[in-house]
Amino acid sequence: PANVGRRMAAGVIPLLMIVLFSMESTRRITSMTNASLRSVKSVHETIRLEEDVNVDVNATADESMLQSTNVSDVATADDAVIMTTSNATTDQGWQATEDTPFEVCFVTSVYGSDPSLADRPPDVTQQRKDHPSFRYFAFTNMPTFQPPGWEVLQKNSSQYRRSITKSRWPKFMAWQHPTIQKCQAVFYVDGFCGPRSESLETFRKLAYQIRQSKFGIAQNRHPKRGSAFEEFTRIIRARKDIQENVDASKAWLSQQPDFHNNCTVYENHNIGYDPKNVEYWQRPAQTFWDRYSMELDSWRDQPLWCYVLDKYHIQPIPIGDTNALFREYWGRISRDGHRYSKENDAK
């Protein structure tokens, strides 16, 4: 019996060892398998997250382009190459040609006797670098005036008595300049204002819309002006002109058989237009200038422009949210703060 017991023990112990080894191996394999499954799950979750991010980026590409201050952040290398070629084409359909090499042009006007006392346009150097098809032009009578990033176009306009009249020529008549004729669309901004970098892609789309529209003009209706004469009341209240000039304008307008006091008043501090549109920009701008440049009445342009647009039955397309498109740099405004008196009527 003792021998039998020893033989059984000798046989059972190896068997137990085999079972225990097998169980440990199974545990390790199970553990490794679970770890592998967790790793695979993690990889899949990562891939799915990346796919979700990519989908989100693709779905919001247009919004990103509107918000970015640097076009290279959202444009591909191919886009950058296309934009800088002479036959550049944008997704809005604009194509550079010999007659129209500039996609978007910004025009401002600063006149005076001393650049240190006048409006100072903001630095647009980076904007020009980011958007090679955009151009920035500053009209002036001051030889030493050189705002950063702007191409200065000298125009003295010495035939006019008022400095205000001289400064209005680029606003309404810059289309006569051969350089401005090379623009698909022009956006006028006051001398202490500038386009917002994050909205430059919006200007690109708006420029194309202006060129394709019937009237070729983009302006917003004034939200608080019901008539031309109501605008004159506000002009006096804000010290933007003198009473005798306003009275002269009201008298002249009242004599015009096609004048309607309830004509639509537009905001004139920002105007977008197609400089090549003869019928609906060049003709009304010339009509405006023929009267305004006589310097016989108000130097404010909103009431007279209200009359001219109504005369030719022109309805500009909305320019959009000007606060989102343009920035006013009040620290760069002229010393007089654009407040006027009798003295401005003689200089």
Side-chain angles (χ1 to χ4, degrees):
N3 291 335
V4 172
R6 284 194 293 269
R7 286 196 297 270
M8 289 179 65
V12 170
I13 290 174
L15 180 61
L16 289 173
M17 293 180 64
I18 292 173
V19 171
L20 291 173
F21 178 82
S22 178
M23 291 175 63
E24 177 64 18
S25 298
T26 301
R27 188 187 66 78
R28 291 185 179 183
I29 292 173
T30 302
S31 177
M32 292 174 63
T33 301
N34 290 337
S36 298
L37 288 173
R38 287 194 298 271
S39 177
V40 170
K41 181 180 179 181
S42 177
V43 169
H44 278 287
E45 289 177 346
T46 302
I47 292 174
R48 185 167 62 250
L49 178 60
E50 291 176 348
E51 289 175 346
D52 291 342
V53 171
N54 289 335
V55 169
D56 184 64
V57 169
N58 292 332
T60 60
D62 289 340
E63 288 80 359
S64 297
M65 291 179 73
L66 296 182
Q67 296 172 2
S68 176
T69 58
N70 190 332
V71 71
S72 62
D73 292 339
V74 293
T76 64
D78 290 340
D79 291 334
V81 172
I82 290 174
M83 288 169 58
T84 56
T85 58
S86 60
N87 61 343
T89 304
T90 70
D91 56 356
Q92 281 75 50
W94 175 81
Q95 182 171 353
T97 64
E98 184 177 352
D99 293 335
T100 314
F102 310 145
E103 184 176 11
V104 176
C105 294
F106 295 98
V107 168
T108 193
S109 174
V110 180
Y111 279 72
S113 58
D114 185 345
S116 65
L117 303 178
D119 290 344
R120 293 173 292 120
D123 188 344
V124 294
T125 304
Q126 188 61 46
Q127 291 187 12
R128 287 188 60 181
K129 184 183 299 183
D130 293 341
H131 293 71
S133 60
F134 287 23
R135 301 295 286 270
Y136 300 75
F137 300 103
F139 284 86
T140 187
N141 64 327
M142 297 178 286
T144 59
F145 181 72
Q146 188 60 63
W150 296 79
E151 298 177 56
V152 174
L153 299 177
Q154 290 285 336
K155 183 171 178 59
N156 189 22
S157 300
S158 58
Q159 68 271 35
Y160 304 119
R161 181 180 78 254
R162 301 169 175 168
S163 292
I164 300 173
T165 304
K166 298 174 184 179
S167 70
R168 289 297 189 273
W169 189 95
K171 187 173 185 177
F172 292 95
M173 302 300 289
W175 56 269
Q176 289 188 347
H177 197 287
T179 299
I180 305 303
Q181 276 294 307
K182 297 179 180 180
C183 305
Q184 175 189 210
V186 173
F187 294 95
Y188 173 81
V189 296
D190 286 338
F192 64 99
C193 305
R196 293 184 181 272
S197 298
E198 62 269 26
S199 297
L200 293 183
E201 290 299 328
T202 303
F203 283 109
R204 171 171 285 151
K205 296 177 181 179
L206 186 56
Y208 182 72
Q209 293 171 3
I210 291 171
R211 191 65 179 269
Q212 297 301 311
S213 67
K214 176 182 178 180
F215 299 110
I217 305 176
Q219 279 188 273
N220 289 339
R221 295 187 177 193
H222 203 296
K224 299 181 180 179
R225 304 297 190 267
S227 68
F229 284 9
E230 181 182 342
E231 173 66 9
F232 278 127
T233 299
R234 293 177 182 272
I235 287 172
I236 292 297
R237 187 180 304 163
R239 294 172 53 199
K240 293 291 186 178
D241 205 338
I242 58 178
Q243 189 66 52
E244 61 186 87
N245 286 344
V246 167
D247 292 342
S249 287
K250 293 170 71 173
W252 182 83
L253 287 170
S254 298
Q255 294 172 1
Q256 308 312 305
D258 54 357
F259 170 67
H260 303 100
N261 185 39
N262 64 347
C263 59
T264 302
V265 180
Y266 287 86
E267 295 179 323
N268 282 8
H269 53 276
N270 301 123
I271 305 176
Y273 63 87
D274 172 7
K276 293 182 170 62
N277 191 316
V278 176
E279 184 175 3
Y280 295 115
W281 174 254
Q282 293 184 12
R283 182 176 65 156
Q286 187 66 61
T287 299
F288 169 90
W289 192 250
D290 288 344
R291 176 62 191 181
Y292 185 87
S293 63
M294 296 176 73
E295 301 181 310
L296 297 174
D297 39 33
S298 178
W299 51 62
R300 296 296 292 175
D301 52 47
Q302 290 92 335
L304 181 58
W305 188 240
C306 174
Y307 161 66
V308 170
L309 292 182
D310 184 67
K311 175 184 179 70
Y312 291 112
H313 310 291
I314 295 173
Q315 298 179 0
I317 65 173
I319 202 170
D321 184 356
T322 54
N323 289 326
L325 293 171
F326 304 95
R327 179 180 174 184
E328 296 176 325
Y329 297 81
W330 293 104
R332 308 181 73 88
I333 199 169
S334 62
R335 291 283 183 88
D336 59 19
H338 292 197
R339 295 293 187 272
Y340 304 103
S341 63
K342 180 68 175 178
E343 295 179 0
N344 298 102
D345 202 37
K347 64 177 183 179

